[in-house]
Amino acid sequence: MRRGIAASALAASLALTATACGGSGGGSGKSDGPVTLTWWDTSNATNEAPAYKALVQRFEAAHKDIKVKYVNVPFDQAQNKFDTAAGAKGAPDVLRSEVGWTPAFAKKGYFLPLDGTEALAEQDAFEPNLIEQARYEGKTYGVPLVTDTLALVYNKALFKKAGITEAPRTWDELKADAARIKARTGADGYWGSTQAYFAQPFLYGEGADTVDAGAKKITVKSPAARKGYATWLSLFSGKGLHKADVTADAYAHIQDAFVSGKVAAIIQGPWEITNIYQGSAFKDRANLGIATLPAGSTGKAGAPTGGHNLSVYAGSDEAHQKAALTFVKYMTSAKSQETLALKNSTLPTRSDAYTARVKADPGIAGYQGVLAAARPRPALPEYSSLWVPLDTELPKIASGKESLDKGLSNAELAMSKLVDGFGR
């Protein structure tokens, strides 16, 4: 959240920057030469961006009438930056948009509906649930580029050394495995995250969510949700269970411990596959185990569906929108998605991109196998923002600074201010 004069100055600066490098909103649509698009790519600048830059060069070689100005925007800044730029009518022509941003930007009129356009000419090739995630109020505002979900990733060698032959199917089994791994290998068995996104599977395992969008009700404190969070909390204390890390670098600490073999299992997404392979514990890629997350008391497992779409800015002129649609179709084609999967170990969004070469990557094959447990997010513009209050409260709960009930009450109150008309 930004506050005060400094925040206003920053917002103004972002708007001016975006106008200078962004789309062509409001133009006549006429051009005497190649159309130059601006694309904001939100992929990891080190591990993923090179593959996207190479695809842009191939696109330009095949489309002499279109040039692409590639801009890599840090993911954690992109949502606010695009919001500011679009409001000033100076956003990029194409955005690599996280799936959770779609409802909010579509509601504001910032994204162009893509139904019936060139960009969605091969719509039937995409996984139906991923197309559904790109929709808002009956219209489609993005073409799925990559998808992801969360899984239990584990070190097969440590599990084998502890005499464990398969991944745990319940959270109680995970606790037992963690204790056994600690006793027999000295490594921690499991290290959990205090981030709300990574706690979401514990809700799904109890048939719960933070909100019931249909009933317009905040459900983060419902008995089922509380049970899920209680299970999440119980995994920070016990033999082989690493205590909660509530520092600003917690994500990196957990990841580093896993790739170096100091912890046997964590919850993680496929965006870290390439980094995992660089770790000392996974020089042999076959050592990486990927399993559906343990189930809750309902007997079912669940994890949030993530990923990114390519969306077109509604404020660009006709010529730029037409070129943008061509670009989006190219970047989301089966061939392009195969290239991205091979280079970045990301999950394609269309079945014809899962070629034999792609499925030879154990990381991709493993995550493809857990996609069945992925749960789509409600088409609620504010849904993703509801994790923000939890990102404040969950670390306090995990570190013992406040009780579970107090923390969830605080989160519930903060959520009520984010969604109009929702009861508690």
Side-chain angles (χ1 to χ4, degrees):
M1 297 294 178
R2 300 187 176 101
R3 293 287 187 272
I5 296 175
S8 299
L10 176 59
S13 174
L14 289 177
L16 289 172
T17 302
T19 302
C21 72
S24 56
S28 66
K30 296 180 180 179
S31 175
D32 295 328
V35 175
T36 299
L37 299 175
T38 296
W39 176 38
W40 281 8
D41 172 29
T42 59
S43 70
N44 181 281
T46 301
N47 298 317
E48 297 180 321
Y52 286 108
K53 291 178 182 177
L55 275 180
V56 167
Q57 292 177 348
R58 293 183 192 178
F59 172 81
E60 290 179 327
H63 300 81
K64 300 296 186 182
D65 57 339
I66 304 174
K67 298 295 182 183
V68 179
K69 183 175 182 179
Y70 174 92
V71 182
N72 185 269
V73 181
F75 175 75
D76 59 355
Q77 301 174 21
Q79 184 177 13
N80 287 339
K81 189 172 183 179
F82 183 85
D83 196 22
T84 301
K89 301 186 183 303
D93 302 290
V94 180
L95 174 70
R96 182 181 183 264
S97 173
E98 206 271 343
V99 295
W101 304 346
T102 300
F105 287 148
K107 183 179 181 180
K108 290 183 176 182
Y110 294 164
F111 283 169
L112 184 73
L114 302 179
D115 304 279
T117 69
E118 178 184 4
L120 274 177
E122 299 177 344
Q123 178 175 328
D124 291 344
F126 294 87
E127 296 295 330
N129 64 318
L130 301 181
I131 291 291
E132 187 63 33
Q133 287 231 131
R135 287 184 175 144
Y136 178 68
E137 293 188 343
K139 295 181 180 180
T140 313
Y141 291 94
V143 183
L145 176 65
V146 295
T147 188
D148 64 59
T149 190
L150 294 175
L152 186 76
V153 296
Y154 63 99
N155 185 317
K156 291 181 179 179
L158 287 175
F159 270 62
K160 183 177 180 180
K161 188 175 180 179
I164 303 169
T165 59
E166 61 181 11
R169 297 181 181 179
T170 67
W171 299 114
D172 284 340
E173 286 183 6
L174 176 60
K175 291 178 184 179
D177 287 349
R180 189 169 183 174
I181 289 168
K182 186 67 173 180
R184 298 194 178 187
T185 73
D188 283 329
Y190 172 76
W191 190 345
S193 170
T194 64
Q195 291 180 293
Y197 187 77
F198 288 81
Q200 194 69 20
F202 293 88
L203 299 187
Y204 293 155
E206 302 302 330
D209 203 338
T210 53
V211 292
D212 183 334
K216 300 191 73 172
K217 186 176 181 180
I218 299 171
T219 55
V220 73
K221 260 194 76 176
S222 68
R226 191 194 183 287
K227 186 173 184 178
Y229 283 123
T231 299
W232 160 83
L233 181 59
S234 71
L235 286 165
F236 291 112
S237 178
K239 188 174 182 179
L241 301 172
H242 199 286
K243 69 177 183 179
D245 185 337
V246 297
T247 67
D249 297 322
Y251 182 95
H253 294 162
I254 295 171
Q255 181 68 15
D256 290 346
F258 179 67
V259 302
S260 63
K262 296 177 182 177
V263 62
I266 63 173
I267 294 175
Q268 191 53 277
W271 55 83
E272 288 289 357
I273 290 176
T274 54
N275 287 331
I276 290 173
Y277 288 159
Q278 294 173 20
S280 59
F282 299 98
K283 292 187 181 299
D284 177 4
R285 295 185 175 189
N287 190 40
L288 176 60
I290 301 171
T292 300
L293 288 170
S297 66
T298 63
K300 296 182 179 180
T305 302
H308 296 82
N309 303 323
L310 287 185
S311 294
V312 177
Y313 177 44
S316 295
D317 64 33
E318 182 180 353
H320 284 76
Q321 287 184 2
K322 182 178 179 180
L325 295 172
T326 301
F327 177 68
V328 169
K329 181 181 179 182
Y330 180 90
M331 295 296 286
T332 58
S333 68
K335 182 62 178 176
S336 293
Q337 289 203 20
E338 179 191 32
T339 299
L340 292 172
L342 293 173
K343 294 290 186 180
N344 295 344
S345 292
T346 50
L347 298 183
T349 59
R350 44 192 296 164
S351 56
D352 53 355
Y354 282 93
T355 62
R357 292 178 66 202
V358 169
K359 291 193 287 188
D361 184 317
I364 293 179
Y367 272 99
Q368 185 187 20
V370 306
L371 282 174
R375 291 269 301 270
R377 306 180 197 181
L380 180 68
E382 302 87 356
Y383 184 76
S384 294
S385 67
L386 299 180
W387 284 321
V388 175
L390 287 165
D391 281 335
T392 297
E393 301 301 329
L394 293 184
K396 297 177 185 177
I397 295 169
S399 62
K401 292 183 178 179
E402 67 184 15
S403 68
L404 179 61
D405 286 337
K406 176 62 175 176
L408 294 183
S409 293
N410 290 343
E412 182 185 51
L413 178 60
M415 289 176 180
S416 69
K417 299 176 182 178
L418 298 174
V419 284
D420 293 333
F422 274 56
R424 290 186 277 162

